[in-house]
Amino acid sequence: EWNNTTTVYPQLVSIHEQFQQQAFIDPDKLALVHGDDELTYQQLNRVSNQLAYCLRIKGVKPGDCVGLCLDRSFDMTIAALAVLKVGAAYVPLDPGYPLDRLTYMLDDCSVSIVLTQRALENNIPDDEGFDKQWSNVCLDDPNVVELLSTYSGDDFPSEGVNNIPGNEPLAYVIYTSGSTGQPKGVCVYHRGVSRLCKNSNYIQITPEDNVTHLSNVSFDAATFEIWGALLNGATAVVVDKEILLSDDDLVQYFSDKRVSVMFITTALFHYYAIHRVEVFKQFRVVLFGGEACDPKLVAKVYESAKPRHLINIYGPTENTVFSLWYELTGCERERSIIP
């Protein structure tokens, strides 16, 4: 009975095709907000198409892996969309990782191109001594920007999603922490992301929502933040690390951008519950998870600044971000643990 989780969701429609449907339905709707900068669905679709055509010219083929060594930014979402449009899979690369770890990931995935920014290019290891070599493309390089402007912004021809076992294309490959040995590349398919974001029973994201995007690209929570917004016609609000670490700026930023949906780690949930509990009040949905949480702090949030829905979630990387959820009702103050 508990395992009866069957639902109807887009199993045969790729992530980028679902995004393009949203761009067709409401082209002028804001897709991305970052500080004072904004990008509509139509604009995001156009620039990602241009990059997709560029990647194809550079030899990227369906089934290839393309590295993304980018900070939270418009470029990161544009790059991910373009990679998917060309039929490839993106590989998140944390620019803060040691060079030997990044080298292992690039070699393990046979990455041929790394999409990055000029400030991060020196963080990417060189390809000397490897059979499969990779090259860097800095998306903020003026020459690259000028080149991309010459490509068509029309929708890149899509091959859809073939759901036959063994033929289904990957959406991305994300690496585990390596805490039990060598990091392992987890292969995530388009339908896993669709199942996470569409017609779910733990959250319904609507076009009226503004969803926080505050996770590093190498943390799989970014999957929920980006595609949860863009596959449902909502707006993803990019939060810089500097704002995230500044209590006053964060509260003001969330208020200014009218954010309504947020996922944070349990550690960050604990921090805000102690130091800035009022941050939760304006949200429609707050999800938190990743480790056991403190029932006393949950009670404090519930009593002082409860969002409309407060949900504790859990899920290993291998299961596409979230697997289990529990919505708090206020009776948890007597519990020794939170489900």
Side-chain angles (χ1 to χ4, degrees):
E1 193 174 308
W2 286 358
N3 200 42
N4 183 19
T5 58
T6 302
T7 190
V8 177
Y9 67 98
Q11 296 188 53
L12 299 177
V13 185
S14 64
I15 295 169
H16 49 284
E17 287 174 319
Q18 293 177 66
F19 165 77
Q20 287 170 185
Q21 289 171 3
Q22 294 295 336
F24 177 79
I25 292 170
D26 196 353
D28 296 325
K29 175 74 167 58
L30 287 180
L32 297 174
V33 171
H34 186 189
D36 295 329
D37 297 325
E38 299 175 341
L39 211 58
T40 67
Y41 272 79
Q42 184 179 55
Q43 291 169 331
L44 176 55
N45 192 41
R46 179 175 180 79
V47 293
S48 61
N49 284 328
Q50 290 176 317
L51 181 55
Y53 282 107
C54 179
L55 291 174
R56 178 55 56 86
I57 293 296
K58 288 182 174 294
V60 177
K61 307 181 297 300
D64 285 353
C65 288
V66 176
L68 300 188
C69 187
L70 296 158
D71 283 329
R72 292 183 291 275
S73 62
F74 287 178
D75 280 346
M76 192 176 86
T77 303
I78 292 167
L81 261 175
V83 171
L84 296 178
K85 284 173 181 268
V86 85
Y90 60 89
V91 183
L93 303 168
D94 188 330
Y97 281 166
L99 285 180
D100 58 348
R101 179 181 170 102
L102 291 175
T103 301
Y104 166 75
M105 294 163 65
L106 289 164
D107 184 51
D108 189 51
C109 276
S110 296
V111 167
S112 58
I113 286 180
V114 178
L115 301 177
T116 187
Q117 294 156 327
R118 287 178 294 178
L120 302 175
E121 191 172 18
N122 289 336
N123 298 61
I124 303 170
D126 59 49
D127 55 11
E128 292 181 11
F130 293 93
D131 294 332
K132 181 72 173 181
Q133 297 182 323
W134 54 85
S135 59
N136 301 335
V137 175
C138 294
L139 297 179
D140 57 350
D141 185 307
N143 293 327
V144 173
V145 173
E146 183 178 356
L147 174 65
L148 291 176
S149 69
T150 65
Y151 289 103
S152 171
D154 296 338
D155 283 340
F156 193 89
S158 177
E159 299 177 9
V161 173
N162 186 347
N163 215 13
I164 301 172
N167 291 335
E168 186 178 358
L170 292 176
Y172 62 90
V173 179
I174 190 165
Y175 279 76
T176 60
S177 64
S179 57
T180 58
Q182 189 71 272
K184 300 171 182 65
V186 175
C187 298
V188 178
Y189 297 91
H190 285 252
R191 64 190 169 106
V193 177
S194 296
R195 183 66 181 87
L196 172 75
C197 300
K198 301 285 287 187
N199 196 25
S200 63
N201 60 1
Y202 70 100
I203 188 173
Q204 293 292 326
I205 297 175
T206 73
E208 286 70 44
D209 281 315
N210 291 340
V211 182
T212 61
H213 173 28
L214 44 79
S215 297
N216 183 296
V217 65
S218 294
F219 180 30
D220 65 352
T223 302
F224 168 80
E225 295 173 333
I226 295 171
W227 304 123
L230 298 183
L231 300 191
N232 291 292
T235 302
V237 178
V238 181
V239 183
D240 286 327
K241 186 176 181 180
E242 293 74 20
I243 292 177
L244 187 62
L245 298 177
S246 172
D247 297 349
D248 292 337
D249 291 344
L250 183 76
V251 173
Q252 188 61 49
Y253 191 72
F254 283 170
S255 176
D256 292 345
K257 303 306 178 186
R258 295 174 301 174
V259 290
S260 55
V261 177
M262 174 172 69
F263 167 71
I264 52 176
T265 63
T266 300
L268 203 53
F269 173 82
H270 285 167
Y271 177 84
Y272 292 146
I274 295 170
H275 299 285
R276 282 295 181 138
V277 69
E278 70 272 17
V279 77
F280 297 110
K281 188 178 296 186
Q282 70 185 73
F283 285 90
R284 184 173 70 85
V285 184
V286 171
L287 308 102
F288 66 95
E291 59 184 310
C293 64
D294 185 337
K296 292 188 180 67
L297 294 179
V298 169
K300 180 182 178 182
V301 171
Y302 195 90
E303 293 165 0
S304 304
K306 181 184 179 295
R308 198 178 313 169
H309 300 283
L310 184 60
I311 302 174
N312 191 21
I313 56 90
Y314 169 79
T317 301
E318 291 83 349
N319 283 18
T320 317
V321 191
F322 304 152
S323 305
L324 309 170
W325 64 277
Y326 173 80
E327 181 162 3
L328 288 90
T329 62
C331 63
E332 292 78 18
R333 59 177 61 85
E334 303 302 325
R335 291 182 179 271
S336 59
I337 60 169
I338 301 296

